[in-house]
């Protein structure tokens, strides 16, 4: 007899486990299927452990600049093994936390590889054999993996994905990072601070190409100042690995091709959804290039089957997956007769993006260029960190905050930041956008002094020619 549930979630990443918790809170009999680690890639091999690594690099950077703060620190060095050990410890602690949350919410966990075999049926295979689970609703939350270069698959020795880069056995002496999205730039920043000679190759015409052009330009200058070599409009044509390193053939923006030796390479050219061999074809679930088509609540074209997170259209971010998980859970509860829940489709324009390099980058909504392309008449304002007292006191006076408003209605269309702690500051504008704020509300908001958050106010004022401290 198959185990029967109201909901089964396939995958326990930040989308899957949050969806399971919300389902349980709504009184649904819930199970989760996970083939590796509770918490998924984000918690165990992505968002969280990388931030632990970057924190170590940040502390090292600050120690090396102790004299800037009137302090003395001698014989500063990094213990790579200890840095990695701390990162893995943080991931383990949070994995145990998710395990506790499953027990607390009475969610049944089935460890193994799941596959849809029929509407409402899942086969779960593990070293203990195969079991069949049944549910009224199934949520696919299997996430994604790093995309390989077709001519140079990662081997974990000289050619790394993000997963290899998180557990290095040696510090790269000369590192090539292919791709300057969030993952690539974060690892470039970490290894540069740790002492590696870092080169970044990006095929687009600027680094972090999804960000506002002004942010990209500022970040490139900052990274070059830190000692990195940045090659935009360039591509890697081949990689030839050996026991001692990797020879890379790189085509520069001007078309010139050169060969350079590196000790290691990190490939950060995107992700691929984990949707192979999970039964999509068997049930006739619509997908394009592995990305599952859904409506605003996570429904697929097959009744009773839902999808969330990195297997659905982007942006591919952990917080987007979690929010989709809650929305799907509430929509499922409503479908099962709960009249007290009122799910809302997510507005993707209000999803923030964060990159934890040094300096940090954060944004929400439309860039100035995208707003103009969409037909808006815009008012844009920029306020620099150097105009903020708290930033100067912190010794973090490099960066700026940029706002983009609709000149006709005052609607906040977008905000873009680079500098210290902007990944925390961005939420002020995210809340504002979600509440459909205009420039008037932001101008009339009282910000505490002295704080970095005052720059949110000043950047709004700047868009209307009213900035006070610059």
């Amino acid at each position: 007899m198959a185990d029967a549930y109201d909901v089964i979630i396939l995958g326990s990443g930040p989308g899957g486990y949050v969806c399971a918790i919300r389902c349980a809170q709504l009184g649904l009999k819930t199970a989760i299927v996970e083939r590796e680690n509770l918490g998924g890639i984000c918690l165990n091999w992505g968002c969280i452990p990388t931030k632990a690594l970057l924190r170590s690099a940040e502390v090292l950077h600050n120690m090396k600049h102790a004299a800037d703060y009137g302090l003395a620190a001698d014989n500063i060095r990094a213990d790579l093994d200890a840095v990695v050990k701390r990162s893995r410890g943080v991931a383990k602690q949070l994995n145990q936390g998710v395990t506790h949350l499953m027990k607390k919410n009475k969610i049944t966990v089935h460890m193994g590889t799941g596959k849809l075999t029929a509407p409402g049926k899942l086969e779960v295979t593990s070293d203990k054999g195969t079991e069949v689970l049944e549910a009224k609703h199934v949520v696919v939350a299997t996430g994604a993996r790093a995309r390989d270069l077709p001519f140079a698959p990662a081997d974990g020795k000289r050619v790394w994905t993000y997963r290899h880069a998180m557990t290095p056995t040696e510090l790269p002496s000369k590192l090539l990072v292919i791709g300057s999205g969030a993952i690539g730039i974060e690892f470039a920043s970490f290894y540069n601070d740790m002492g590696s000679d870092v080169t970044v190759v990006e095929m687009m015409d600027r680094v972090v190409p999804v960000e506002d052009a002004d942010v990209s330009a500022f970040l490139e200058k900052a990274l070059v100042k830190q000692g990195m070599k940045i090659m935009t409009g360039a591509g890697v044509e081949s990689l030839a690995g050996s026991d001692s390193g990797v020879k890379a053939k790189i085509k520069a923006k001007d078309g010139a091709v050169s060969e350079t030796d590196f000790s290691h390479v990190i490939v950060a050219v995107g992700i691929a959804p984990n949707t192979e061999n999970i039964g999509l074809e068997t049930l006739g679930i619509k997908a394009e290039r592995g990305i599952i088509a859904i409506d605003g609540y996570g429904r697929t074209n097959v009744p009773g089957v839902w999808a969330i997170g990195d297997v659905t259209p982007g942006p591919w971010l952990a917080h987007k997956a979690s929010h989709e998980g809650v929305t799907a859970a509430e929509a499922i509860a409503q479908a099962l007769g709960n009249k007290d829940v009122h799910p809302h489709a997510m507005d993707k324009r209000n999803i923030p993006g964060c990159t934890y390099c040094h300096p940090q980058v954060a944004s929400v909504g439309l860039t100035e260029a995208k707003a103009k392309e969409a037909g808006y008449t815009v008012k844009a304002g920029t306020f620099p960190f150097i105009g903020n007292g708290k930033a100067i006191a912190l010794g973090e006076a490099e960066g700026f905050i940029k706002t983009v408003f609709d000149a006709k209605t005052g609607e906040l269309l977008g905000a873009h930041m680079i500098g210290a702690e902007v990944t925390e500051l961005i939420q002020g504008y995210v809340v504002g956008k979600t509440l459909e704020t205009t420039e008037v509300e932001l101008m009339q908001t009282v910000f505490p002094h002295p704080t970095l958050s005052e720059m949110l106010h000043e950047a709004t004022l700047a868009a209307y020619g009213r900035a006070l401290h610059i």
Side-chain angles (χ1 to χ4, degrees):
M1 194 76 178
D3 289 342
Y5 300 93
D6 292 317
V7 186
I8 297 172
I9 295 96
L10 182 58
S12 73
Y17 87 76
V18 168
C19 182
I21 290 171
R22 186 64 183 131
C23 285
Q25 288 176 341
L26 292 167
L28 305 181
K29 185 180 179 183
T30 307
I32 202 160
V33 176
E34 173 56 53
R35 68 181 180 183
E36 190 173 7
N37 303 114
L38 287 174
I41 292 297
C42 174
L43 190 151
N44 293 281
W45 293 102
C47 314
I48 300 301
T50 55
K51 303 311 161 285
L53 293 175
L54 285 161
R55 175 60 173 167
S56 293
E58 180 184 22
V59 172
L60 177 64
H61 173 86
N62 289 338
M63 290 173 70
K64 288 180 177 179
H65 291 82
D68 296 343
Y69 300 89
L71 305 173
D74 301 319
N75 301 318
I76 300 163
R77 65 179 184 86
D79 183 337
L80 184 63
D81 290 342
V83 168
V84 172
K85 183 178 180 181
R86 177 181 180 272
S87 172
R88 299 316 307 154
V90 169
K92 182 179 179 181
Q93 180 180 343
L94 290 172
N95 169 265
Q96 292 170 343
V98 174
T99 300
H100 167 72
L101 289 171
M102 296 299 100
K103 292 178 180 177
K104 176 185 175 183
N105 289 280
K106 298 180 174 58
I107 297 163
T108 304
V109 176
H110 296 268
M111 296 303 296
T113 301
K115 184 175 183 178
L116 290 157
T117 57
K121 284 192 176 183
L122 268 173
E123 278 187 359
V124 181
T125 304
S126 68
D127 53 9
K128 297 179 181 178
T130 300
E131 58 181 332
V132 177
L133 310 179
E134 292 185 356
K136 298 169 186 173
H137 295 270
V138 175
V139 180
V140 178
T142 47
R145 62 189 182 278
R147 192 181 297 277
D148 267 327
L149 289 174
F151 55 82
D155 59 13
K157 296 177 182 178
R158 296 292 171 182
V159 180
W160 294 347
T161 64
Y162 63 84
R163 190 155 176 163
H164 305 121
M166 272 187 284
T167 55
T169 56
E170 60 181 341
L171 184 68
S173 57
K174 191 172 183 180
L175 175 66
L176 171 63
V177 178
I178 305 174
S180 74
I183 293 173
I185 284 296
E186 286 181 4
F187 277 116
S189 188
F190 168 73
Y191 279 107
N192 185 68
D193 277 342
M194 292 292 287
S196 299
D197 179 351
V198 177
T199 297
V200 177
V201 171
E202 168 59 53
M203 67 180 295
M204 303 296 285
D205 63 355
R206 54 193 175 93
V207 295
V208 288
V210 301
E211 301 293 345
D212 187 89
D214 291 340
V215 169
S216 293
F218 191 100
L219 180 60
E220 181 171 343
K221 288 180 182 178
L223 297 179
V224 171
K225 184 178 179 181
Q226 292 169 31
M228 291 190 211
K229 182 179 181 181
I230 307 294
M231 301 179 67
T232 56
V236 176
E237 297 197 332
S238 67
L239 295 174
S242 67
D243 291 340
S244 59
V246 181
K247 188 178 292 293
K249 186 178 289 185
I250 302 172
K251 186 176 183 179
K253 185 184 298 186
D254 62 6
V257 177
S258 61
E259 281 193 342
T260 307
D261 291 321
F262 296 90
S263 64
H264 298 79
V265 176
I266 295 176
V267 177
V269 293
I271 60 173
N274 294 320
T275 48
E276 304 91 344
N277 304 315
I278 61 171
L280 298 187
E281 299 82 4
T282 301
L283 272 66
I285 297 170
K286 289 182 180 178
E288 185 175 348
R289 297 181 181 177
I291 299 293
I292 300 172
I294 58 170
D295 69 4
Y297 300 90
R299 298 183 185 90
T300 70
N301 63 301
V302 176
V305 180
W306 309 66
I308 60 174
D310 288 356
V311 297
T312 67
W316 297 294
L317 301 166
H319 43 282
K320 178 250 193 187
S322 295
H323 196 93
E324 284 181 325
V326 170
T327 300
E330 293 179 351
I332 289 168
Q334 187 180 65
L336 291 174
N338 188 329
K339 297 180 181 179
D340 295 326
V341 292
H342 306 283
H344 295 274
M346 180 168 52
D347 186 345
K348 291 187 177 182
R349 296 174 301 175
N350 297 339
I351 301 174
C354 298
T355 303
Y356 299 81
C357 50
H358 181 240
Q360 294 181 4
V361 173
S363 61
V364 66
L366 297 175
T367 65
E368 183 177 3
K370 290 293 184 182
K372 290 177 179 177
E373 285 178 18
Y376 290 99
T377 301
V378 305
K379 282 187 176 292
T382 300
F383 188 83
F385 270 54
I386 193 65
N388 177 263
K390 181 67 177 292
I392 295 172
L394 291 174
E396 298 284 0
E398 292 190 356
F400 65 84
I401 294 178
K402 180 178 182 178
T403 54
V404 182
F405 290 90
D406 181 348
K408 295 179 180 178
T409 66
E411 178 189 358
L412 176 63
L413 299 175
H416 311 276
M417 311 178 177
I418 183 167
E421 301 304 328
V422 296
T423 57
E424 300 291 340
L425 293 175
I426 191 63
Q427 194 59 21
Y429 286 132
V430 176
V431 171
K433 275 186 58 58
T434 301
L435 296 177
E436 300 181 348
T437 192
T438 67
E439 89 287 6
V440 174
E441 286 86 10
L442 285 169
M443 287 180 180
Q444 293 178 350
T445 298
V446 178
F447 288 80
H449 175 78
T451 63
L452 297 176
S453 68
E454 291 175 273
M455 290 186 287
L456 277 65
H457 191 218
E458 291 277 20
T460 301
L461 294 171
Y464 291 83
R466 291 176 51 184
L468 298 170
H469 289 93
I470 197 71

